[in-house]
Amino acid sequence: MSDTLLAPADDALRVQRSALAAAYHERSKHRLERYANGPETLDWDAQPDPFRRYRGAPLQPLPLLAQDPATPWDALHRPGAVAAQPFSLASLGALFELSLALAAWKQAGPDRWSVRINPSSGNLHPTEGWLLCQGVPGLADGVHHYAPHEHALELRAALPASPAPTSPRVFVAQSSIAWREAWKYGERALRYCLLDAGHAAGALAYAAALQGWQLQPCPVAAADLAAWLGLDRDMDFPGGAECEEPELLFELRPPDTAAAPLPGDWLSQPLWQGQANRLDAHPMYRWPVIDQTLEATRPTAGAATAEAPLPQATTVPPQAAPEPAASLIRRRRSAQRFDAQARLDRTALWPLLQALLPGRLPFSALPEADHVHVLLFAHRVDGLAPGAYLLPRSEAGATLLRRQLPVSLDWAPVAEAPADLPLWRLAANPALAGTLRTLNCHQALGSDAILGLALLAEFQPLPTPWAYRERLMEAGLLGQALYLQAEAMSLAGTGIGCFFDDALHQLIGLTPTAAPQAALQSVYHFTIGRALTDSRIATTAPYAHLPAWPERLADTSRSPA
Ligand SMILES: Cc1cc2nc3c(=O)[nH]c(=O)nc-3n(C[C@H](O)[C@H](O)[C@H](O)COP(=O)(O)O)c2cc1C
C-alpha cells in the first residue's frame, strides 16, 4: 500500500485531492436514466468469502455472554449510568459480541447465510474489526483481528515480553475490504464501505457504553494505522488476497481516565503472524476509481491533531425506553417490506429525531459529527401534515441549508416540536410516497414506510480530502442510531444506499449554482416503518456451530486450516 504524507501546509494538494473525492461522488451517482458503473453480470455461485481470516495466526476464542447486560436503552445514553467493567477477555468478548458478531443464521430453501449485529449494504460486510491491547488479563499483548464466524481473536502480532503498563491499554480499529462491496456494486461501492464503517463505529459505541466505556476517536494518519494493523505488509496478502483499507482507531476508555499512549508508542518489535485468505478467486471486474479515491482521501500526519472529539451530552435521553439495550441490539434487522397502512403518532416522532442530535451516543465516536443534516419525509404521521421537513444538526448547518435551499419553500417552524428540535416544514405534499419509491431506485420500501429520510452532508468545499470519508461515516452513525431507535419504538428501519442522487436534490430545489455540484449532497437514505416478516425465511442461533466453551478453549493454539 502506498500513502503519500502531505505536509499540513500543502493546501494545493489537499484541494486537488478533495476535488478528486468530489469527482468520485459525482461519477458514482445513480441517475434516473443510468445507474453508476457496475458489473453487468454477477456469478452468485462465486460470491467472495464473507469471512477474512489470517491463516497461521493463533486463535483466541472469546466467551459468549451467558446473560446479556440488563441496562435499559435509555440508561445507555446517560453518561455515568453504567459502571465501567474492568478490561478482560469476558468484557472485550461482550464488546465484540454486541457490535460486530454474527446475530443469526437465515435459511430460505437451499440458501443459508449469516447476518450480523451491524448492518451492511447487501449484507456484504466490508468492515473488519481489530483490537490492539497491552496489559489486559487473559489476553496476549499485541494486535488481534476479530473473526466473527468463530467469535475469536486472531493474534496477528505478538509483542515480546515487556513490562506491563500501570493500567491496560485498549484500542479498537476498523478497516475495510472494498472488494467485498465492489464485487456487487461496482464504482458506487466505496460509498457503501464508508457508510458501513459508520454503522460499525456506531455499533461499537453502543456496545462500549454497555460496558461503561467511551469509544474515544483517535484521528491518526492512514499510513500509521496501516502499519499498526499490518495492512502495509504486502507479503502477508499473498496470491491476490484482497487488501484492507485502514479506516478508524478508537481508544476504549473508562470515564475520567487519562488517554493511553497511541499504539505506535508501545507496539515495539511486533512479531507478525498469519497471512490473509483470498476472498474472491476469480474477480471479473476492476474499478480503479475506488483505489484512486481511497488514496486521495487517506488522512495524513496532520489529521492526528486536527480535531477534538465532541464531549458527550449529559442530558437525559429523550424517551423512557425500559427495554434492555442488548435486546434491541440483538434483534435489529433491516425490514424487507413495510406494512403500507401503518401510522405513527407525532409524539413518538420527537424522540426519534432527538436521538439524531449531535453530542449524544453514538455521535461521540467521530470528531465533529454534526455536518450531516436530516431531511425528513413524513408519510403517515398523525398530527403532522404529510410532506418534507428539515432538521439541521448545527447552527452552521442551518445557515447553510437556508442559503442553499429555495426561499420559495415554506420554511415554517414546526411549533409542536419540543424546544430542542429545530424542525422546519419545507413543503406539505400528500402525494409524496410514489415519488419516494421512484427516488429510492423504485424500491417499495420508499413508499410503504411511515417515514423516509435523506441525509444531507455539507459537501463543498470539503475542508480536507478525508472529510469525504467523515461525511459518509457520520451518515452511517446516523443510520445506526435510526436502526436502534426504530427498534426501541417497536418499528424497524432499513438503510437505503440505492437512490437517484440528483433527482432528490431537484425535488427539494437543491441545485448546483456556481460550483459543479450542490454544496449539500444527499449521501444516504433511510426508511422506517412497521416490518412485515417473510415466514419462508427460517432463523437459527448465531453460534450453534461452535463447540461449548471448554472445548473451544482447547482450540486456543490452533490456527485456521
Ligand atoms: C449502507 C447501507 C445501504 C443499504 N441499502 C439498502 C437498499 O438500498 N435497499 C435495501 O433493501 N436494503 C439496504 N440496506 C440493508 C441491507 O441490505 C441489510 O443491512 C443487510 O441485508 C443485512 O441485513 P440486516 O440489516 O438485517 O443485518 C442497506 C444497508 C446499509 C448499511
Side-chain angles (χ1 to χ4, degrees):
M1 173 185 297
S2 74
D3 186 30
T4 316
L5 281 186
L6 301 181
D10 200 342
D11 288 342
L13 200 45
R14 282 192 182 183
V15 169
Q16 201 185 355
R17 289 184 166 210
S18 298
L20 271 174
Y24 162 74
H25 195 79
E26 192 63 24
R27 122 182 217 156
S28 59
K29 283 178 173 172
H30 285 328
R31 300 172 196 282
L32 280 164
E33 65 283 4
R34 185 179 60 79
Y35 284 92
N37 288 337
E40 275 151 30
T41 54
L42 280 180
D43 180 358
W44 290 101
D45 293 331
Q47 281 194 59
D49 185 337
F51 300 108
R52 159 80 8 120
R53 293 296 308 272
Y54 283 90
R55 296 178 200 286
L59 197 65
Q60 165 70 65
L62 291 167
L64 290 163
L65 279 161
Q67 202 172 13
D68 278 347
T71 311
W73 174 241
D74 52 0
L76 194 65
H77 294 76
R78 217 175 287 136
V82 184
Q85 296 300 307
F87 290 117
S88 68
L89 196 63
S91 61
L92 289 164
L95 173 90
F96 283 110
E97 187 177 346
L98 294 174
S99 57
L100 305 181
L102 304 190
W105 286 90
K106 301 279 177 182
Q107 180 137 17
D111 298 324
R112 187 168 181 268
W113 67 99
S114 59
V115 287
R116 302 195 195 179
I117 297 288
N118 56 318
S120 166
S121 182
N123 199 29
L124 295 168
H125 289 286
T127 310
E128 298 292 319
W130 299 82
L131 175 74
L132 303 91
C133 64
Q134 192 183 26
V136 176
L139 259 178
D141 294 342
V143 181
H144 303 255
H145 170 249
Y146 178 61
H149 183 270
E150 287 72 23
H151 186 51
L153 294 169
E154 296 178 308
L155 183 59
R156 256 293 272 158
L159 295 188
S162 53
T166 46
S167 52
R169 296 163 174 169
V170 187
F171 290 78
V172 288
Q174 292 179 203
S175 59
S176 298
I177 306 178
W179 180 249
R180 265 198 213 298
E181 290 283 335
W183 167 79
K184 181 172 177 196
Y185 293 116
E187 292 191 349
R188 198 170 166 95
L190 173 55
R191 295 176 176 214
Y192 299 158
C193 291
L194 296 170
L195 293 168
D196 279 11
H199 276 284
L204 281 165
Y206 288 120
L210 270 175
Q211 300 299 315
W213 308 326
Q214 285 189 348
L215 191 73
Q216 184 75 15
C218 305
V220 291
D224 289 339
L225 188 54
W228 300 340
L229 301 179
L231 304 181
D232 58 356
R233 294 174 53 80
D234 292 346
M235 66 290 248
D236 292 345
F237 293 81
E242 297 77 1
C243 62
E244 295 182 33
E245 177 69 18
E247 295 285 13
L248 292 168
L249 178 73
F250 307 99
E251 186 187 353
L252 285 178
R253 223 195 275 171
D256 306 322
T257 51
L262 287 173
D265 292 347
W266 46 268
L267 275 178
S268 52
Q269 298 175 303
L271 173 67
W272 291 99
Q273 318 175 89
Q275 289 191 317
N277 60 340
R278 183 167 182 173
L279 306 173
D280 186 349
H282 304 290
M284 283 170 60
Y285 294 87
R286 295 276 170 219
W287 309 106
V289 72
I290 291 184
D291 292 333
Q292 288 154 13
T293 311
L294 282 172
E295 171 133 23
T297 55
R298 280 184 192 131
T300 59
T305 51
E307 292 169 319
L310 283 177
Q312 204 166 303
T314 51
T315 50
V316 286
Q319 165 204 40
E323 199 176 350
S327 309
L328 307 182
I329 288 172
R330 284 194 189 278
R331 76 157 190 250
R332 180 214 63 78
R333 291 270 66 80
S334 296
Q336 317 258 299
R337 275 193 319 136
F338 286 125
D339 170 1
Q341 307 306 318
R343 304 189 65 85
L344 183 74
D345 191 80
R346 74 168 181 227
T347 52
L349 178 63
W350 311 143
L352 179 82
L353 296 179
Q354 283 166 322
L356 304 181
L357 296 176
R360 296 163 199 258
L361 191 67
F363 303 111
S364 42
L366 287 181
E368 290 193 11
D370 60 354
H371 294 291
V372 178
H373 310 284
V374 178
L375 176 65
L376 172 76
F377 297 104
H379 294 324
R380 284 180 292 279
V381 180
D382 293 324
L384 202 65
Y389 296 81
L390 191 64
L391 176 68
R393 293 179 64 251
S394 72
E395 290 281 330
T399 309
L400 180 68
L401 285 155
R402 211 57 221 228
R403 233 184 19 237
Q404 295 293 324
L405 289 169
V407 282
S408 56
L409 292 169
D410 293 352
W411 290 109
V414 178
E416 300 80 12
D420 64 342
L421 266 188
L423 190 65
W424 299 82
R425 192 188 68 228
L426 294 184
N429 183 346
L432 208 53
T435 308
L436 284 175
R437 180 184 178 131
T438 306
L439 286 181
N440 289 320
C441 294
H442 312 287
Q443 300 181 79
L445 286 168
S447 52
D448 296 348
I450 295 172
L451 300 169
L453 297 96
L455 302 181
L456 301 177
E458 295 171 20
F459 217 80
Q460 254 192 0
L462 288 167
T464 61
W466 53 92
Y468 180 65
R469 297 191 188 197
E470 290 172 341
R471 298 289 183 268
L472 276 95
M473 289 190 200
E474 183 180 334
L477 276 184
L478 279 158
Q480 192 65 12
L482 284 164
Y483 265 118
L484 292 180
Q485 193 64 34
E487 293 289 344
M489 298 161 67
S490 303
L491 297 173
T494 300
I496 302 285
C498 190
F499 55 88
F500 299 114
D501 305 60
D502 285 341
L504 180 280
H505 299 152
Q506 276 158 24
L507 179 75
I508 54 168
L510 191 64
T511 44
T513 46
Q517 287 185 316
L520 290 138
Q521 299 280 316
S522 183
V523 291
Y524 191 22
H525 289 192
F526 206 90
T527 51
I528 291 181
R530 190 166 307 288
L532 296 174
T533 45
D534 185 341
S535 57
R536 292 166 303 177
I537 300 180
T539 302
T540 50
Y543 287 111
H545 59 282
L546 293 183
W549 181 242
E551 290 101 79
R552 284 182 70 210
L553 272 183
D555 274 2
T556 303
S557 58
R558 218 172 60 189
S559 55

PDB file of all heavy atoms in Angstrom, residues 173-184:
ATOM      1  N   ALA A 173      -9.923  -0.902  16.297  1.00  0.00           N
ATOM      2  CA  ALA A 173      -9.731  -0.255  14.996  1.00  0.00           C
ATOM      3  C   ALA A 173     -10.642  -0.916  13.976  1.00  0.00           C
ATOM      4  O   ALA A 173     -11.155  -2.020  14.205  1.00  0.00           O
ATOM      5  CB  ALA A 173      -8.270  -0.363  14.561  1.00  0.00           C
ATOM      6  N   GLN A 174     -10.857  -0.207  12.899  1.00  0.00           N
ATOM      7  CA  GLN A 174     -11.659  -0.744  11.785  1.00  0.00           C
ATOM      8  C   GLN A 174     -10.873  -0.607  10.484  1.00  0.00           C
ATOM      9  O   GLN A 174     -10.175   0.391  10.267  1.00  0.00           O
ATOM     10  CB  GLN A 174     -12.956   0.053  11.621  1.00  0.00           C
ATOM     11  CG  GLN A 174     -13.933  -0.115  12.739  1.00  0.00           C
ATOM     12  CD  GLN A 174     -15.196   0.716  12.558  1.00  0.00           C
ATOM     13  OE1 GLN A 174     -15.860   1.003  13.527  1.00  0.00           O
ATOM     14  NE2 GLN A 174     -15.538   1.095  11.319  1.00  0.00           N
ATOM     15  N   SER A 175     -11.018  -1.603   9.636  1.00  0.00           N
ATOM     16  CA  SER A 175     -10.509  -1.492   8.265  1.00  0.00           C
ATOM     17  C   SER A 175     -11.634  -1.932   7.330  1.00  0.00           C
ATOM     18  O   SER A 175     -12.636  -2.494   7.785  1.00  0.00           O
ATOM     19  CB  SER A 175      -9.271  -2.376   8.087  1.00  0.00           C
ATOM     20  OG  SER A 175      -9.601  -3.717   8.375  1.00  0.00           O
ATOM     21  N   SER A 176     -11.464  -1.660   6.049  1.00  0.00           N
ATOM     22  CA  SER A 176     -12.497  -2.048   5.073  1.00  0.00           C
ATOM     23  C   SER A 176     -11.863  -2.824   3.930  1.00  0.00           C
ATOM     24  O   SER A 176     -10.781  -2.469   3.462  1.00  0.00           O
ATOM     25  CB  SER A 176     -13.166  -0.822   4.442  1.00  0.00           C
ATOM     26  OG  SER A 176     -13.803  -0.064   5.411  1.00  0.00           O
ATOM     27  N   ILE A 177     -12.561  -3.842   3.486  1.00  0.00           N
ATOM     28  CA  ILE A 177     -12.134  -4.561   2.274  1.00  0.00           C
ATOM     29  C   ILE A 177     -13.098  -4.140   1.167  1.00  0.00           C
ATOM     30  O   ILE A 177     -14.222  -4.656   1.063  1.00  0.00           O
ATOM     31  CB  ILE A 177     -12.178  -6.088   2.486  1.00  0.00           C
ATOM     32  CG1 ILE A 177     -11.353  -6.477   3.727  1.00  0.00           C
ATOM     33  CG2 ILE A 177     -11.666  -6.809   1.247  1.00  0.00           C
ATOM     34  CD1 ILE A 177     -11.367  -7.959   4.054  1.00  0.00           C
ATOM     35  N   ALA A 178     -12.656  -3.184   0.376  1.00  0.00           N
ATOM     36  CA  ALA A 178     -13.564  -2.570  -0.597  1.00  0.00           C
ATOM     37  C   ALA A 178     -14.099  -3.587  -1.615  1.00  0.00           C
ATOM     38  O   ALA A 178     -15.228  -3.458  -2.106  1.00  0.00           O
ATOM     39  CB  ALA A 178     -12.866  -1.412  -1.304  1.00  0.00           C
ATOM     40  N   TRP A 179     -13.289  -4.605  -1.921  1.00  0.00           N
ATOM     41  CA  TRP A 179     -13.718  -5.536  -2.964  1.00  0.00           C
ATOM     42  C   TRP A 179     -15.013  -6.262  -2.600  1.00  0.00           C
ATOM     43  O   TRP A 179     -15.812  -6.622  -3.463  1.00  0.00           O
ATOM     44  CB  TRP A 179     -12.612  -6.555  -3.303  1.00  0.00           C
ATOM     45  CG  TRP A 179     -13.091  -7.491  -4.376  1.00  0.00           C
ATOM     46  CD1 TRP A 179     -13.368  -8.813  -4.261  1.00  0.00           C
ATOM     47  CD2 TRP A 179     -13.440  -7.142  -5.727  1.00  0.00           C
ATOM     48  NE1 TRP A 179     -13.854  -9.321  -5.440  1.00  0.00           N
ATOM     49  CE2 TRP A 179     -13.910  -8.314  -6.363  1.00  0.00           C
ATOM     50  CE3 TRP A 179     -13.393  -5.940  -6.457  1.00  0.00           C
ATOM     51  CZ2 TRP A 179     -14.332  -8.320  -7.686  1.00  0.00           C
ATOM     52  CZ3 TRP A 179     -13.817  -5.957  -7.781  1.00  0.00           C
ATOM     53  CH2 TRP A 179     -14.277  -7.135  -8.378  1.00  0.00           C
ATOM     54  N   ARG A 180     -15.211  -6.487  -1.300  1.00  0.00           N
ATOM     55  CA  ARG A 180     -16.453  -7.145  -0.882  1.00  0.00           C
ATOM     56  C   ARG A 180     -17.684  -6.437  -1.434  1.00  0.00           C
ATOM     57  O   ARG A 180     -18.649  -7.066  -1.841  1.00  0.00           O
ATOM     58  CB  ARG A 180     -16.561  -7.074   0.632  1.00  0.00           C
ATOM     59  CG  ARG A 180     -16.058  -8.251   1.333  1.00  0.00           C
ATOM     60  CD  ARG A 180     -16.634  -8.212   2.724  1.00  0.00           C
ATOM     61  NE  ARG A 180     -15.718  -8.767   3.675  1.00  0.00           N
ATOM     62  CZ  ARG A 180     -15.301 -10.008   3.654  1.00  0.00           C
ATOM     63  NH1 ARG A 180     -15.743 -10.836   2.736  1.00  0.00           N
ATOM     64  NH2 ARG A 180     -14.449 -10.428   4.537  1.00  0.00           N
ATOM     65  N   GLU A 181     -17.665  -5.098  -1.395  1.00  0.00           N
ATOM     66  CA  GLU A 181     -18.807  -4.327  -1.902  1.00  0.00           C
ATOM     67  C   GLU A 181     -18.698  -4.124  -3.405  1.00  0.00           C
ATOM     68  O   GLU A 181     -19.692  -4.164  -4.122  1.00  0.00           O
ATOM     69  CB  GLU A 181     -18.887  -2.960  -1.214  1.00  0.00           C
ATOM     70  CG  GLU A 181     -19.282  -3.004   0.254  1.00  0.00           C
ATOM     71  CD  GLU A 181     -20.778  -3.235   0.480  1.00  0.00           C
ATOM     72  OE1 GLU A 181     -21.580  -2.909  -0.398  1.00  0.00           O
ATOM     73  OE2 GLU A 181     -21.109  -3.764   1.560  1.00  0.00           O
ATOM     74  N   ALA A 182     -17.451  -3.885  -3.870  1.00  0.00           N
ATOM     75  CA  ALA A 182     -17.266  -3.584  -5.296  1.00  0.00           C
ATOM     76  C   ALA A 182     -17.658  -4.778  -6.157  1.00  0.00           C
ATOM     77  O   ALA A 182     -18.115  -4.618  -7.294  1.00  0.00           O
ATOM     78  CB  ALA A 182     -15.822  -3.181  -5.554  1.00  0.00           C
ATOM     79  N   TRP A 183     -17.457  -5.976  -5.619  1.00  0.00           N
ATOM     80  CA  TRP A 183     -17.828  -7.195  -6.344  1.00  0.00           C
ATOM     81  C   TRP A 183     -19.257  -7.087  -6.873  1.00  0.00           C
ATOM     82  O   TRP A 183     -19.541  -7.409  -8.021  1.00  0.00           O
ATOM     83  CB  TRP A 183     -17.720  -8.395  -5.387  1.00  0.00           C
ATOM     84  CG  TRP A 183     -18.360  -9.627  -5.942  1.00  0.00           C
ATOM     85  CD1 TRP A 183     -17.816 -10.454  -6.872  1.00  0.00           C
ATOM     86  CD2 TRP A 183     -19.654 -10.146  -5.616  1.00  0.00           C
ATOM     87  NE1 TRP A 183     -18.695 -11.476  -7.160  1.00  0.00           N
ATOM     88  CE2 TRP A 183     -19.835 -11.310  -6.408  1.00  0.00           C
ATOM     89  CE3 TRP A 183     -20.667  -9.762  -4.763  1.00  0.00           C
ATOM     90  CZ2 TRP A 183     -20.994 -12.071  -6.350  1.00  0.00           C
ATOM     91  CZ3 TRP A 183     -21.814 -10.517  -4.697  1.00  0.00           C
ATOM     92  CH2 TRP A 183     -21.970 -11.664  -5.483  1.00  0.00           C
ATOM     93  N   LYS A 184     -20.160  -6.548  -6.011  1.00  0.00           N
ATOM     94  CA  LYS A 184     -21.561  -6.484  -6.417  1.00  0.00           C
ATOM     95  C   LYS A 184     -21.953  -5.112  -6.956  1.00  0.00           C
ATOM     96  O   LYS A 184     -22.751  -5.003  -7.879  1.00  0.00           O
ATOM     97  CB  LYS A 184     -22.439  -6.824  -5.218  1.00  0.00           C
ATOM     98  CG  LYS A 184     -23.925  -6.807  -5.531  1.00  0.00           C
ATOM     99  CD  LYS A 184     -24.756  -7.332  -4.394  1.00  0.00           C
ATOM    100  CE  LYS A 184     -26.247  -7.235  -4.725  1.00  0.00           C
ATOM    101  NZ  LYS A 184     -27.057  -7.379  -3.526  1.00  0.00           N
TER     102      LYS A 184
END
